Structure formats: C-alpha cells, structure tokens
Amino acid sequence: MSMVNLKINGIPVQAEAGSTILQAAEKANIRIPTLCYLKDVQCVGSCRMCLVEATGARGLVAACVYPVSEGMEVFTNTPKVRKSRKTTVELILSTHKKKCLSCVRSMNCELQKLALEYNADEDRFGTDYAAKPIDDLSESVVRDNSKCVMCTRCVAACEHQTVGVIGPKNRGYAKEIGSPYDMPLAHTSCVNCGQCIVACPVGALYEKSSVADVWGAIVDPAKQVVFFTAPSIKATLGEAFGFPVGSNVEGKMVAAIKQLGNVKCFNMDITADLTIMEEAHELIQRLMTGGTIPMFTSCCPGWVKFAEHYYPELLPNLSTCKSPQEMFSAVLKTYYCQKNGIAPENLYVVSVIPCTAKKFEIRREELGGYTDAAITTRELARMIKEAGVDFANIPEAEYDMPFGEASGAGVIFGATGGVMEAALRTASRLLGGEGHPIEFKEIRGTQGIKEAEYNVGGGKINVAVANGLGNARKVIEQIKSGEKNYAFVEIMACPGGCVNGGGQPYVRDEVRNSVDLKALRASALYKQDENSKYRCSHETPAVNVLYKEFLVKPLGQKAHALLHTTYHQRDKY
Amino acid sequence: MSQIAFEGTEEQAARLAACISEHRGEKGALMPVLHEAQDIYGYLPPEVQTVIAEGLNVPLAEVYGVATFYSRFTLMPKGKHQISVCLGTACYVKGSDKILEEVEKTLKISCGECTSDREFSIDSCRCVGACGLAPVMIVDGEVYGKLTEKDVKTILNKYAEN
C-alpha cells in the first residue's frame, strides 16, 4: 500500500493513498466532528459537519469523503471552519423539534453534543419545523420525523439489510425520510431489526416502549412478574452505566432487576440450550430421513420475517423450533405455573432482549401469546435508572432457580456463529460420542459470511453462518443457484448477531467509529463460555429436568406442541 | 388527495416489461425506466412503481424517492381537460392565487391532482407571455384572461358539458 505525507494542523501524518482526511486525522488523534458519517454504515459527505480547509481545494471540503494527497496541508480548527460548523448545526436545529429534556436520546444525542461543542444558538434561525405525525403503528420501531436531521443513516442501514423500506422522499422543505406513499412502517416488509434505530444520531427513531406496562404489572398485586434475560444482555447492559464495551455485568444485571420490585429473574441461556436440544435433534432427523435441507436456524425473528417476505419458498427449510424467548415463555406459562400453582393469567412474563423484532414476535398469533412484554436492553437500563439502583456499586446476585445455570453453548447464542457452534457441539455428541471438539473457531468472528466443513457423527457436513441480512441474501442466492451446498445455515439479521441488535444501548459515534463494537461485545460471551461448568446444551441440568418432568423427549408430542411453530408467506409490497 | 383507479392495459404492461428488461442490470437504470414508464402511462401510479421496483430489483422506497424528487415525474394522471393557472409575477399580483383557489374549490382537488373521474386536472405555470391579460388560466390550450373568481365556474361548466 503506498503512503502519502500530509500535515494536519501542522502535524506531519502518513496515510494510505486513497484514504480520507477523516481517516488520516484519526491516526494523528485529531478529532473531526461528523454526523451523517457512520463506520460500516454510511459515508456520503452530505451533512457538512466535517468540513475542513485543505490546500489545493477551492472551498471547505468534507473530511469524511475527501481523499488525502502528497504534500497536502489540512486545517481542522480555523475560524472559518468553526463558523461553518456552527452555522450548520444552527441550520439543522432550525428544523428540529427541540424537545430535548424528555427525548429518549437526551444526553446521548449526537446533535446535542455538536450544539454544545460549537456553542450553537438553537434559535438563531428560529424554529420552522412542520409538526409531523409520529408513526407508532409498528410493534417495534417508532419514527418521529420532527426530530429527523436527514442524515439518512437509517436509510443506509436498511439498504445494507437489503430490506430498503425507507428512503428520502419529496424535495426541499417537503423532504422527509419514510416509507413510500405515507405507508406506516408496519404495512411494509420491514423486518423490525431496529438497525435504523441504532444508526440514528438523534431521537427520530426509537423502540416502541413497554416500560409503562411492565411497571404496571410489577405493582399489580394480582400478578407475579418474572423476567428472563437473553444471552447478550449481560455483555452490553453495562455500557448504559458507563462500563467499557465488552464488560460482562451478569451479576449486577440480575441484582438490579430484582431491585425493580417483587420479581424473579431467570436465565434465558437455558432455553437457548433447550432450543439447541430441539434443533440439533431436528437437524439429525432431517439429515437421516432425507428431510428438507439445508436447514436454517429460526431463533432470529428479523430473519424469520425476512424469509416470509422475500424467500417464502425457503420456509420449509426453516427449523420449526421457536426462538429461546418463545420457548421460555411457553415453559413458564405451562410447566412453571403448574408446578407452582399459579394461574397462567396471573404470571406476567417479561423478556429482556437485545432486539426490536422480538417485540413483533410476541404478537405472532401462532406462538400462543405466552410472552406478556419484551423490553430491550435500553428499556431495562431506563427502568434500572428510574428505580434509583446504584448499578456500579450493587453487589452481584444469582439468577433464581430453577432456571439459573445454563451451558456456555447457551451463552454464545448472542454472537454470530454461536447458535451454529452450540448446535454442532450437541449434534456431534448425539451422533458420535464425546470425542468431538468443543470449539468450532472457523465459524466465530465478525466477518459477514463464514463457511466450514465438519465431521459430525462420521459424516461430513458443510455449514454456513451469515450475519446481517445483506450477507444472508448472498448465501441464499448462492444456495438457490446451486453454487453452494450446505446442510445447516445460521442466519442472524443484525450484523454481528444479537450483541449488535437493534435494542442494544446507544453507542456514541466517536466510540462506534473507532472500535470493533461487535467483536468486543462478543468477546465477553466467549470468555464466559470458556469458563462455564457445562459447555454443551445437553449437559445443562435444568434442561434435563425439564425433559424428565415435563417435555418427555426432544421432538416428542409435548415438545412439538409447545416448542415448535409454523411460518407463513407475507407480501413484499 | 384524490384516489384514481389504475387503468393500465396489457399493451402498456408489455411495453413497460420490454423497457425494464432492456435496462435491467445497468447502472442507473431507474431514471430512463421511470421516464419511459411516464411516457407509457402518462403518470407513475403505485402499480407501475411496484413493477419497476420488482423488475429492476430496486427498493420501492428508492423508486418512490426518485419519482417524488424530480418535478418532471408526476404521481397523478392528467385529466381529459387540463387546466393550468398562471402564477407568474404579473398574474400573481393581479390575484391569480385566488383564481387557483377557486378552481381547486370548484373541482374539490388540489393543484397537481386529477379528479377521480379523470375529467379535470389542475396545474400551475409560470408566465405564458400574456401578462396584458393577467390573471390568466389555460384550459386545453385555450387562454382565458382578465379573470375574476366568478368566471371560473362558467368556464369549467363549458368543459364539463362536453
């Protein structure tokens, strides 16, 4: 790679030829503000926040797209630059609904941060925003366009997912971001992944909150409230309380949930293990009996809805297993209620999930309505703050029994490749004894598509793992064209899997643009797996008790009725 | 907004399909296809945009975004009788905005729209070079000048009867 020499604010910097001023500045530890730029998502140079002076250029140039050249001198901190950035912020603020105090993004908003840094006057150009209707018909995503800054990061995120149900429309003052023909998002083929929410720099997009419902249930004397937390929550919740990215806060999380009121807190990693029991048996059955392969995982509700809209012909290939969330709720409303003499209608089940699509999932009729509320990591953090819990100093606590201890296989469900690895651990042992490896490192990591060939029970099988729906589409097209053959394919809608889900804590742009968020968060899960007493799902005691006392056997009649589901084709337009 | 039923013919659909397959796979195929689609149908109804999105493998949101960005594209058909009210400077100071309002009120549609029976559509224009006659309105190419609001109904009635 050839290098060029340039100076930024007088500091000599070497940068790769073809890289941008923004990238070169990062190497020299000089911060240039950005708004529409987001690493891995969008780089278009439209917001004009990153303007700098550069020799040889006619006016100010956008650092995020302007390439470096030999001998170039860049100035990021001149009166002209500062004035321009300040005016840009003030112009954006003139069409922004400045209801900041109660905004979901207050104190965590990129526009607020820029306004503060550039001492912007929010009233310099008055306030001229049209009060636009809030679209809250979706179960998952709420859009408030009166706060939109038109950065189009959400549009880029949706395009990466190859869903593309939102875009800029109209022109000039009438321009806004949304679905065609003023359709509410709920009427489009949106898969509810929520990647638009985590891409949004302001409060224009957020999840449909169930916090008020959950507080209501907690104080209702007729209700018994149980929480269960998805595998990835422990690896991300800390970020909302100032812990570094990649901190595992399981003990504090459980303790904090128990301080929300008279509630129990269970571990969803256990039904991740249960999912593997069913799914591994299903895979073996499909392979042995000439069933439909490749089999696709079905635990990601974003992927399931994507398949229903875009690849209905593949629905027979989807594992019939419900997701861990739905398996848990079904077990709680039947087995747990019976065992503890609770009327199912008095048990209020709250799942804490990294995901906005799970909010849609709990409303699917075919799943039986066992989950009462699904709240994201962000909503849980909000509740913990509202309850006045001192998260940093709270002593750690353990999950409630009987759903406390899970295997490391359940833990890694939260990262891309985790479900596949967990399934392979169990399937290989079910077929061929204990001589198989525990770790399947070829399918770990954050690259979009991973492939491997494994020896399972004496036969070789090819597997693929895709994260991000754009990558999923590539894998599917290769399978359909006959170019590739797999026995088993794992798909997670969100890039990096659940650790990077649409319900995970907001991360400041400056952090997100400089670290590998997906890998750091996933590392917390793999570390816990490594130190787990049990590494395979079929070893988890709670799972074995469940089969012994209630479910009888994997793929049995009872298991089939409670733990499996069906899919149906949905319109694309 | 008025609702207009889609009345595409098989022949039109075949022409659109041919145009899409000609441009499929090309970079920047959307613009020429939208142009031709508008030539075929006279406007770009949802049904046509959906066919284009599917045919070119482009998100419908993008098709709609482009169609609503350029003023050359219209999402509304033109009526059997096309009305154009001049909003140029001379007509405007002579009160042509009131004339336009009166036309909108009489036909119960907004400027840029078409009545649901496809009889009338309204547009505005900027100066037809007849400033001496301001305010001016054109119906099917015929110029009506020195208008007052009460003239509007009489003129429109003339066309409604035909």
PDB file of all heavy atoms in Angstrom, chain A residues 79 87 101 103 128 191 202 226 239 320 412 415 427 440 519 560:
ATOM      1  N   PRO A  79     -10.952  29.758  12.278  1.00  0.00           N
ATOM      2  CA  PRO A  79     -12.208  30.493  12.491  1.00  0.00           C
ATOM      3  C   PRO A  79     -13.240  30.183  11.411  1.00  0.00           C
ATOM      4  O   PRO A  79     -14.424  30.022  11.697  1.00  0.00           O
ATOM      5  CB  PRO A  79     -11.764  31.960  12.428  1.00  0.00           C
ATOM      6  CG  PRO A  79     -10.332  31.939  12.839  1.00  0.00           C
ATOM      7  CD  PRO A  79      -9.775  30.643  12.331  1.00  0.00           C
ATOM      8  N   THR A  87     -22.723  27.235  12.050  1.00  0.00           N
ATOM      9  CA  THR A  87     -23.894  27.581  11.235  1.00  0.00           C
ATOM     10  C   THR A  87     -24.637  26.322  10.794  1.00  0.00           C
ATOM     11  O   THR A  87     -25.865  26.273  10.790  1.00  0.00           O
ATOM     12  CB  THR A  87     -23.462  28.399   9.998  1.00  0.00           C
ATOM     13  OG1 THR A  87     -22.718  29.522  10.458  1.00  0.00           O
ATOM     14  CG2 THR A  87     -24.650  28.868   9.200  1.00  0.00           C
ATOM     15  N   LEU A 101     -35.502  17.751  26.679  1.00  0.00           N
ATOM     16  CA  LEU A 101     -35.497  17.241  28.058  1.00  0.00           C
ATOM     17  C   LEU A 101     -36.093  15.850  28.168  1.00  0.00           C
ATOM     18  O   LEU A 101     -35.574  14.988  28.869  1.00  0.00           O
ATOM     19  CB  LEU A 101     -36.248  18.206  28.987  1.00  0.00           C
ATOM     20  CG  LEU A 101     -35.565  19.546  29.236  1.00  0.00           C
ATOM     21  CD1 LEU A 101     -36.390  20.380  30.206  1.00  0.00           C
ATOM     22  CD2 LEU A 101     -34.168  19.337  29.801  1.00  0.00           C
ATOM     23  N   CYS A 103     -36.554  13.765  25.619  1.00  0.00           N
ATOM     24  CA  CYS A 103     -36.216  12.955  24.441  1.00  0.00           C
ATOM     25  C   CYS A 103     -35.483  11.684  24.876  1.00  0.00           C
ATOM     26  O   CYS A 103     -34.659  11.719  25.787  1.00  0.00           O
ATOM     27  CB  CYS A 103     -35.339  13.771  23.497  1.00  0.00           C
ATOM     28  SG  CYS A 103     -34.871  12.886  22.005  1.00  0.00           S
ATOM     29  N   ASP A 128     -38.605  26.306  12.517  1.00  0.00           N
ATOM     30  CA  ASP A 128     -39.518  26.201  11.399  1.00  0.00           C
ATOM     31  C   ASP A 128     -39.715  24.739  11.029  1.00  0.00           C
ATOM     32  O   ASP A 128     -39.436  24.334   9.931  1.00  0.00           O
ATOM     33  CB  ASP A 128     -38.954  26.984  10.204  1.00  0.00           C
ATOM     34  CG  ASP A 128     -39.921  26.964   9.037  1.00  0.00           C
ATOM     35  OD1 ASP A 128     -41.118  26.739   9.279  1.00  0.00           O
ATOM     36  OD2 ASP A 128     -39.476  27.160   7.894  1.00  0.00           O
ATOM     37  N   VAL A 191     -38.561  -5.717   8.603  1.00  0.00           N
ATOM     38  CA  VAL A 191     -38.397  -6.940   9.398  1.00  0.00           C
ATOM     39  C   VAL A 191     -38.188  -6.629  10.876  1.00  0.00           C
ATOM     40  O   VAL A 191     -37.923  -7.516  11.671  1.00  0.00           O
ATOM     41  CB  VAL A 191     -37.253  -7.825   8.851  1.00  0.00           C
ATOM     42  CG1 VAL A 191     -37.519  -8.189   7.404  1.00  0.00           C
ATOM     43  CG2 VAL A 191     -35.898  -7.142   8.999  1.00  0.00           C
ATOM     44  N   VAL A 202     -30.005  10.890  16.469  1.00  0.00           N
ATOM     45  CA  VAL A 202     -30.889  11.701  17.316  1.00  0.00           C
ATOM     46  C   VAL A 202     -32.098  10.870  17.764  1.00  0.00           C
ATOM     47  O   VAL A 202     -32.080   9.653  17.656  1.00  0.00           O
ATOM     48  CB  VAL A 202     -31.345  12.971  16.551  1.00  0.00           C
ATOM     49  CG1 VAL A 202     -30.169  13.874  16.251  1.00  0.00           C
ATOM     50  CG2 VAL A 202     -32.077  12.597  15.279  1.00  0.00           C
ATOM     51  N   VAL A 226     -42.158 -12.305  36.281  1.00  0.00           N
ATOM     52  CA  VAL A 226     -40.844 -12.940  36.092  1.00  0.00           C
ATOM     53  C   VAL A 226     -40.152 -12.307  34.893  1.00  0.00           C
ATOM     54  O   VAL A 226     -40.763 -12.062  33.854  1.00  0.00           O
ATOM     55  CB  VAL A 226     -40.944 -14.474  35.884  1.00  0.00           C
ATOM     56  CG1 VAL A 226     -41.418 -15.163  37.143  1.00  0.00           C
ATOM     57  CG2 VAL A 226     -41.828 -14.823  34.711  1.00  0.00           C
ATOM     58  N   GLU A 239     -22.779  -0.920  29.364  1.00  0.00           N
ATOM     59  CA  GLU A 239     -22.463   0.289  28.581  1.00  0.00           C
ATOM     60  C   GLU A 239     -23.383   1.449  28.952  1.00  0.00           C
ATOM     61  O   GLU A 239     -22.968   2.605  28.942  1.00  0.00           O
ATOM     62  CB  GLU A 239     -22.606   0.005  27.080  1.00  0.00           C
ATOM     63  CG  GLU A 239     -21.546  -0.937  26.542  1.00  0.00           C
ATOM     64  CD  GLU A 239     -21.897  -1.445  25.146  1.00  0.00           C
ATOM     65  OE1 GLU A 239     -22.652  -0.778  24.421  1.00  0.00           O
ATOM     66  OE2 GLU A 239     -21.406  -2.535  24.780  1.00  0.00           O
ATOM     67  N   THR A 320     -38.299 -25.677  12.633  1.00  0.00           N
ATOM     68  CA  THR A 320     -39.608 -25.350  13.201  1.00  0.00           C
ATOM     69  C   THR A 320     -39.501 -24.913  14.655  1.00  0.00           C
ATOM     70  O   THR A 320     -40.508 -24.598  15.290  1.00  0.00           O
ATOM     71  CB  THR A 320     -40.571 -26.549  13.106  1.00  0.00           C
ATOM     72  OG1 THR A 320     -39.966 -27.658  13.795  1.00  0.00           O
ATOM     73  CG2 THR A 320     -40.853 -26.931  11.664  1.00  0.00           C
ATOM     74  N   ILE A 412     -23.229 -18.317  24.168  1.00  0.00           N
ATOM     75  CA  ILE A 412     -22.704 -17.764  22.910  1.00  0.00           C
ATOM     76  C   ILE A 412     -23.771 -17.571  21.831  1.00  0.00           C
ATOM     77  O   ILE A 412     -23.483 -17.095  20.737  1.00  0.00           O
ATOM     78  CB  ILE A 412     -21.530 -18.611  22.345  1.00  0.00           C
ATOM     79  CG1 ILE A 412     -21.970 -20.058  22.092  1.00  0.00           C
ATOM     80  CG2 ILE A 412     -20.326 -18.532  23.277  1.00  0.00           C
ATOM     81  CD1 ILE A 412     -20.906 -20.883  21.384  1.00  0.00           C
ATOM     82  N   ALA A 415     -23.834 -14.164  19.935  1.00  0.00           N
ATOM     83  CA  ALA A 415     -22.862 -13.696  18.932  1.00  0.00           C
ATOM     84  C   ALA A 415     -23.049 -14.482  17.642  1.00  0.00           C
ATOM     85  O   ALA A 415     -23.475 -15.637  17.669  1.00  0.00           O
ATOM     86  CB  ALA A 415     -21.442 -13.879  19.447  1.00  0.00           C
ATOM     87  N   ALA A 427     -25.016 -31.832  18.502  1.00  0.00           N
ATOM     88  CA  ALA A 427     -25.310 -32.797  17.432  1.00  0.00           C
ATOM     89  C   ALA A 427     -24.164 -33.792  17.267  1.00  0.00           C
ATOM     90  O   ALA A 427     -24.389 -35.004  17.118  1.00  0.00           O
ATOM     91  CB  ALA A 427     -25.564 -32.069  16.110  1.00  0.00           C
ATOM     92  N   PHE A 440     -15.559 -24.521  17.815  1.00  0.00           N
ATOM     93  CA  PHE A 440     -15.608 -24.517  16.348  1.00  0.00           C
ATOM     94  C   PHE A 440     -15.204 -23.115  15.905  1.00  0.00           C
ATOM     95  O   PHE A 440     -16.050 -22.276  15.619  1.00  0.00           O
ATOM     96  CB  PHE A 440     -17.014 -24.882  15.883  1.00  0.00           C
ATOM     97  CG  PHE A 440     -17.418 -26.297  16.206  1.00  0.00           C
ATOM     98  CD1 PHE A 440     -17.845 -26.650  17.487  1.00  0.00           C
ATOM     99  CD2 PHE A 440     -17.368 -27.289  15.230  1.00  0.00           C
ATOM    100  CE1 PHE A 440     -18.221 -27.959  17.781  1.00  0.00           C
ATOM    101  CE2 PHE A 440     -17.751 -28.592  15.513  1.00  0.00           C
ATOM    102  CZ  PHE A 440     -18.168 -28.930  16.801  1.00  0.00           C
ATOM    103  N   ALA A 519     -17.102  -7.264  17.884  1.00  0.00           N
ATOM    104  CA  ALA A 519     -16.119  -8.221  18.392  1.00  0.00           C
ATOM    105  C   ALA A 519     -15.922  -8.056  19.904  1.00  0.00           C
ATOM    106  O   ALA A 519     -15.823  -9.037  20.645  1.00  0.00           O
ATOM    107  CB  ALA A 519     -14.790  -8.039  17.666  1.00  0.00           C
ATOM    108  N   HIS A 560     -43.287 -30.877  20.728  1.00  0.00           N
ATOM    109  CA  HIS A 560     -43.731 -30.365  19.442  1.00  0.00           C
ATOM    110  C   HIS A 560     -44.825 -29.315  19.626  1.00  0.00           C
ATOM    111  O   HIS A 560     -44.815 -28.263  19.013  1.00  0.00           O
ATOM    112  CB  HIS A 560     -44.226 -31.500  18.553  1.00  0.00           C
ATOM    113  CG  HIS A 560     -44.374 -31.062  17.132  1.00  0.00           C
ATOM    114  ND1 HIS A 560     -43.310 -31.025  16.262  1.00  0.00           N
ATOM    115  CD2 HIS A 560     -45.443 -30.569  16.459  1.00  0.00           C
ATOM    116  CE1 HIS A 560     -43.722 -30.540  15.103  1.00  0.00           C
ATOM    117  NE2 HIS A 560     -45.013 -30.257  15.199  1.00  0.00           N
TER     118      HIS A 560
END
